[in-house]
Amino acid sequence: MGKKLIIVESPAKARTIKNFLGKDYEVVASKGHIRDLPKTSFGIKIEEDQFIPQYRVTKDHQSVAKELKEKAKKADMVYIATDEDREGEAIGFHIAHVIGKKPEELPRIVFHEITKTAIKNALENPRTLDINRVNAQQARRLLDRIVGYKLSPLLNKKIQKGLSAGRVQSAALKLVVDREREIKEFKPQEYWTIEGVFKKVEGNLIKYHGKKLEKFDIKTKDEAQKIVDELKPLEYTVTKIEKKITTSKSPAPFMTSTLQQTASSELGFSPRKTMQIAQKLYEGVKTPVGETGIITYMRTDSLNIAEEAQKAAIEFIKQNVGEEYAEAKTYKSKNQNAQEAHEAIRPVDVRLTPDDLKNYLTKDELKLYTLIYNRFLASQMKDAKFETQNIYLANDKGEFKISGKKLIFDGFYKVYGKPSADTLLPEFSEGERLKPEDIKATQHFTKPPERYTEASLIKKLEALGIGRPSTYAPTITLLQNRNYVEVKDKKLHPTEIAFTVIETLEKHFPDIVDANFTANMEEMLDNIAGGKKDWQEMLREFYNPFMELIKKGEKEIPSQKIAKPTGELCPQCGAPLVIRKGRFGEFIACSAYPKCKYTRPIEEEEEKKVDVKCDKCGAPMVVKRGKRGEFLACSNYPECKNTKPLNPPEVLEDVKCPECGGDIVKRNSRRGEFYGCSNYPECNFISKYRPVNKKCPECGYLMAKRTYRGKEVYECIKCKHREDVNE
């Protein structure tokens, strides 16, 4: 009698499931997609308006395919147990073809968590492969292949080698580029606010001469000072005291996007790292009860919670936090197409606390599990309650508002983070009259919008309906790998080439970078998955108009590769310099890019001659521009490579170098200002400190004032003798 064969995607998942089943079962992994479109050709055959994918077993899956065929032949029953999403459904579909079975003949088992109970329940309730979801995945794959395989070569031909375009990728890149355009065009606007201090607490001026103050009503310092001078001497009456109870709602459990955003802001994890760790926690790790999955499936846009899991959470909260904190809650996803049959991301067993796992998980695994665990518990706890208080102080000239709050019930904060600090107010009584301790004006300037972080870009993509849970992290990774964006201080900065690509796509392929168009495509894919639309029809509707634009682009998109030679050689590598076009206009660059990245502005193309001779060869000096600004260079370059600063450094009077007798001059470096010998590099004498008019009692040289071990001292520049400034 043969065994029953269960086929999953990953080896880790296979190991975990194998632990739960007896010797009658064998569990093997396909190691992801076993078939795909070929890498070296278009891979889609178009016949009679039908799009026929030319799938191939991928090169790195040949041995896996052979193993699966052999094991399937010997097995009495073959179960498909891939992930319950479109990718997992499609992987199961391809596995069926590889092992020579009809997809509709194979039992399909699904589960949201990898536990013994979930696996046994799945085996007792198999279903068939969902061909609608398979077709939705196929439509996405073919759609992305059409865009990438037809549009990317055009960008390579017209702009630069190595470029790519994609349906989700290009729409996401446009968001980053548009934000950078907003920042560049932003002009700060000045405004002022007036604050009054009463009983050592501060309130804002909200009315002036009976008129409610808006943000930009006070525009200048003079206007603000006039108001301060008028209001400061006056007496004010407490006209109203407001007290009310407000709530801070408990957060929903995590879905993919919110997990990636929160892990980024609270743990500093990139979306890619978050998903890699979550995958391990889902597939199975060592625990006190053996190897098992400890979180539910991590690619989901659902906020649904299984009834059994909710009951377990409520019971746990009552026993370990307090009965007054527990409250069963349900949440609905904002995405109307979210699959509510799926679950939110939660711990498999709420009794398995982070403290229980601290000796089993890695540091990062424990951090992410703790985040997921606490968020799930918080979702089943009561809202936090605050008492807020507003005090209004007024006269016929102006009215101030002082606000405070205090926490009266911590609710979900008991396990999930800390509320903001209380702002407690002193006692005020209605009708009380008092003068302000101070009234002051504060200047403000409006700020440009923030650049996207990886987390905030995911939030924006989700809000616009661009992409789905499985695509967020790969999209951002692709933008970085293609050199379209750079991460600096956790912010996404578009590169020069990103602007060129987006400008070209906006003009010639507007739909590809349009957020609404991309979101509508996602909705159509959801309709295919739900059996409401034919996938071939969707591809036809997209393909023909798109190919017309490709043909038009071949003729109309000007080549941006043509670069005008300057007749100069690159000072870094010797290759010819050329004039290129960038987002800020034309600039000079090395023709050997990307091997050599030398650039300089074009404005300084004509050399400025100055009345200075080169002290090495006697030729006239000219003004050049480098990375640190303008400088003087010998016009006889490259025969003579002498350079000098354009503006001579400040020379300290009556101070000479203790080593060679040259002048001591003020210089700048990356670490700030310093004083050194004018004969550098022949003489390397350097002092960080400016000399003062005090001579060293030891050697007679000048001393400098500086801080040494927390005290101000005089220190000799030459022999380092020190004296306390106060002595």
Side-chain angles (χ1 to χ4, degrees):
M1 183 177 174
K3 291 185 176 183
K4 296 175 182 178
L5 181 67
I6 298 176
I7 304 176
V8 298
E9 298 107 316
S10 79
K13 191 175 178 181
R15 286 194 300 271
T16 305
I17 293 175
K18 205 168 187 176
N19 290 334
F20 303 141
L21 302 174
K23 60 182 181 180
D24 293 336
Y25 289 89
E26 186 173 6
V27 188
V28 293
S30 70
K31 298 180 181 178
H33 272 283
I34 200 166
R35 291 200 313 169
D36 199 1
L37 299 175
K39 289 185 177 180
T40 56
S41 62
F42 184 41
I44 303 173
K45 192 175 180 181
I46 304 173
E47 290 182 351
E48 298 178 357
D49 281 341
Q50 291 292 304
F51 295 80
I52 306 165
Q54 307 294 294
Y55 292 120
R56 303 281 187 275
V57 174
T58 60
K59 190 175 180 181
D60 55 347
H61 280 79
Q62 298 285 347
S63 59
V64 176
K66 184 179 179 182
E67 179 189 9
L68 292 181
K69 284 181 187 177
E70 292 173 353
K71 290 183 180 296
K73 283 180 183 178
K74 299 175 183 177
D76 289 340
M77 180 73 74
V78 179
Y79 292 92
I80 299 296
T82 48
D83 291 341
E84 193 187 6
D85 56 15
R86 292 178 201 163
E87 291 295 321
E89 213 73 17
I91 290 172
F93 173 82
H94 291 303
I95 288 171
H97 280 277
V98 166
I99 64 175
K101 301 281 187 181
K102 292 181 178 179
E104 60 272 18
E105 293 177 350
L106 293 177
R108 167 82 161 112
I109 61 172
V110 294
F111 35 82
H112 303 303
E113 57 192 52
I114 304 179
T115 60
K116 188 173 184 178
T117 303
I119 301 304
K120 288 192 173 182
N121 184 60
L123 286 168
E124 290 169 3
N125 300 279
R127 62 168 173 81
T128 57
L129 279 162
D130 187 337
I131 196 63
N132 289 327
R133 294 171 76 181
V134 172
N135 288 338
Q137 191 278 340
Q138 289 194 105
R140 174 188 286 279
R141 185 71 186 96
L142 269 61
L143 195 62
D144 291 342
R145 172 55 66 99
I146 291 166
V147 174
Y149 218 85
K150 298 298 182 182
L151 183 52
S152 296
L154 185 59
L155 296 180
N156 282 260
K157 180 180 177 182
K158 299 289 186 177
I159 302 174
Q160 179 182 295
K161 287 184 179 180
L163 300 180
S164 71
R167 197 174 45 83
V168 175
Q169 166 197 333
S170 299
L173 181 59
K174 179 171 164 55
L175 293 175
V176 178
V177 168
D178 282 347
R179 179 58 56 87
E180 197 70 21
R181 288 167 174 166
E182 289 180 61
I183 293 169
K184 182 186 172 185
E185 294 169 3
F186 178 81
K187 293 180 181 178
Q189 189 173 348
E190 180 182 8
Y191 67 98
W192 291 73
T193 56
I194 310 295
E195 294 81 37
V197 180
F198 300 85
K199 294 187 179 182
K200 297 184 179 180
V201 292
E202 195 173 278
N204 294 317
L205 181 68
I206 59 171
K207 287 184 181 178
Y208 180 59
H209 285 268
K211 179 191 172 186
K212 184 179 178 181
L213 284 176
E214 302 295 338
K215 184 174 182 177
F216 296 108
D217 281 351
I218 309 173
K219 297 181 176 66
T220 66
K221 183 178 180 181
D222 290 342
E223 291 176 20
Q225 191 59 50
K226 181 183 175 183
I227 295 172
V228 169
D229 293 341
E230 181 182 4
L231 298 182
K232 199 168 186 178
L234 304 179
E235 190 175 60
Y236 295 79
T237 302
V238 178
T239 58
K240 186 167 59 172
I241 297 175
E242 288 181 342
K243 288 185 179 180
K244 59 182 179 180
I245 303 300
T246 60
T247 60
S248 179
K249 292 188 177 297
S250 50
F254 284 128
M255 54 184 178
T256 304
S257 59
T258 52
L259 176 62
Q260 291 173 354
Q261 293 163 37
T262 308
S264 176
S265 59
E266 295 190 16
L267 305 179
F269 291 175
S270 69
R272 183 180 181 183
K273 180 176 180 178
T274 298
M275 297 310 288
Q276 286 174 338
I277 296 172
Q279 185 85 33
K280 292 180 183 177
L281 300 181
Y282 166 71
E283 290 181 344
V285 291
K286 289 182 180 179
T287 73
V289 294
E291 190 165 327
T292 184
I294 57 174
I295 66 168
T296 53
Y297 190 54
M298 65 286 153
R299 292 187 184 89
T300 176
D301 54 4
S302 171
L303 294 177
N304 192 36
I305 300 171
E307 185 179 349
E308 184 182 343
Q310 187 179 57
K311 287 179 180 178
I314 294 297
E315 189 62 32
F316 184 88
I317 293 166
K318 286 179 178 179
Q319 292 179 4
N320 295 275
V321 184
E323 193 161 341
E324 68 277 19
Y325 286 93
E327 183 178 352
K329 294 185 177 183
T330 57
Y331 301 87
K332 283 286 183 182
S333 173
K334 293 179 182 178
N335 177 15
Q336 294 180 352
N337 293 308
Q339 299 178 65
E340 296 301 331
H342 290 182
E343 277 201 71
I345 305 169
R346 62 167 176 81
V348 166
D349 185 352
V350 76
R351 295 169 299 178
L352 200 59
T353 68
D355 196 52
D356 294 330
L357 294 168
K358 63 184 180 182
N359 295 325
Y360 294 87
L361 303 181
T362 66
K363 186 178 178 181
D364 286 344
E365 287 170 353
L366 184 61
K367 284 181 180 179
L368 192 65
Y369 180 74
T370 303
L371 194 69
I372 295 168
Y373 184 92
N374 289 343
R375 178 73 166 236
F376 175 62
L377 274 191
S379 75
Q380 300 305 304
M381 294 177 69
K382 289 182 178 176
D383 299 340
K385 292 184 179 180
F386 294 87
E387 181 185 88
T388 60
Q389 192 175 17
N390 294 318
I391 312 293
Y392 296 88
L393 302 101
N395 54 34
D396 59 350
K397 302 292 184 183
E399 182 177 11
F400 289 89
K401 177 184 176 183
I402 300 172
S403 298
K405 71 171 185 176
K406 65 178 178 180
L407 182 69
I408 57 176
F409 177 65
D410 53 0
F412 70 91
Y413 285 119
K414 188 80 171 178
V415 299
Y416 191 70
K418 294 181 179 179
S420 55
D422 288 346
T423 309
L424 301 177
L425 301 182
E427 286 294 326
F428 288 90
S429 56
E430 286 195 25
E432 183 180 355
R433 299 172 64 85
L434 64 164
K435 279 193 171 184
E437 295 159 21
D438 190 20
I439 291 182
K440 56 189 178 181
T442 305
Q443 184 185 37
H444 307 274
F445 289 94
T446 54
K447 295 181 179 180
E450 289 279 347
R451 289 183 178 90
Y452 287 108
T453 61
E454 293 180 327
S456 63
L457 181 59
I458 287 172
K459 187 175 182 179
K460 185 68 174 179
L461 292 172
E462 181 189 26
L464 294 173
I466 300 173
R468 286 295 180 261
S470 61
T471 65
Y472 299 139
T475 297
I476 292 176
T477 300
L478 183 60
L479 292 180
Q480 293 178 54
N481 291 343
R482 291 292 183 181
N483 197 35
Y484 285 146
V485 299
E486 296 174 335
V487 181
K488 300 175 184 176
D489 299 324
K490 297 185 178 181
K491 300 290 195 320
L492 298 175
H493 295 249
T495 60
E496 196 76 55
I497 199 65
F499 284 85
T500 305
V501 168
I502 291 301
E503 285 164 10
T504 302
L505 294 178
E506 284 174 330
K507 186 174 181 179
H508 300 279
F509 299 89
D511 283 348
I512 295 298
V513 290
D514 181 69
N516 291 328
F517 176 82
T518 307
N520 288 337
M521 297 291 279
E522 294 292 349
E523 190 173 343
M524 279 193 271
L525 290 169
D526 290 336
N527 288 336
I528 293 169
K532 299 174 185 176
K533 188 172 181 66
D534 179 70
W535 70 293
Q536 291 286 343
E537 181 186 353
M538 178 204 182
L539 292 173
R540 284 194 294 273
E541 289 171 356
F542 174 81
Y543 183 77
N544 293 326
F546 178 70
M547 290 308 297
E548 286 299 319
L549 290 176
I550 291 289
K551 292 175 185 176
K552 194 175 177 183
E554 289 278 3
K555 298 175 182 177
E556 295 183 0
I557 298 175
S559 176
Q560 299 177 53
K561 286 186 169 183
I562 299 172
K564 181 182 174 182
T566 66
E568 294 180 79
L569 298 180
C570 175
Q572 292 185 2
C573 72
L577 292 177
V578 294
I579 298 175
R580 294 192 184 279
K581 187 178 179 181
R583 55 179 153 155
F584 300 120
E586 292 185 330
F587 64 98
I588 294 175
C590 181
S591 60
Y593 180 86
K595 290 184 179 178
C596 176
K597 297 183 179 179
Y598 172 80
T599 61
R600 75 165 188 259
I602 203 170
E603 297 82 46
E604 301 297 325
E605 189 58 17
E606 290 188 10
E607 295 179 344
K608 299 176 186 175
K609 291 191 177 181
V610 292
D611 192 19
V612 179
K613 299 289 184 183
C614 175
D615 52 11
K616 291 190 176 180
C617 72
M621 302 289 278
V622 293
V623 178
K624 295 277 190 181
R625 178 180 286 275
K627 290 182 179 179
R628 298 182 184 176
E630 293 182 327
F631 64 95
L632 291 176
C634 181
S635 60
N636 199 24
Y637 178 87
E639 285 74 17
C640 178
K641 298 181 180 180
N642 186 29
T643 62
K644 285 187 175 183
L646 179 61
N647 299 309
E650 175 189 339
V651 179
L652 298 184
E653 296 180 5
D654 302 323
V655 182
K656 297 295 179 183
C657 174
E659 295 182 6
C660 73
D663 291 333
I664 296 294
V665 296
K666 182 179 178 181
R667 296 190 186 280
N668 285 294
S669 72
R670 291 178 182 175
R671 297 182 181 180
E673 294 182 347
F674 69 94
Y675 295 86
C677 182
S678 60
N679 291 328
Y680 176 84
E682 286 77 12
C683 177
N684 287 319
F685 173 75
I686 290 175
S687 171
K688 294 180 183 177
Y689 313 106
R690 184 186 181 106
V692 295
N693 190 22
K694 180 178 176 62
K695 291 189 177 180
C696 174
E698 297 283 330
C699 68
Y701 196 71
L702 285 178
M703 303 185 79
K705 190 176 183 180
R706 59 164 293 201
T707 301
Y708 178 73
R709 293 184 178 177
K711 295 193 304 181
E712 282 196 327
V713 298
Y714 291 118
E715 182 179 275
C716 178
I717 292 175
K718 184 177 180 181
C719 71
K720 306 302 180 186
H721 170 75
R722 297 188 191 94
E723 292 181 357
D724 196 317
V725 168
N726 299 319
E727 288 181 359

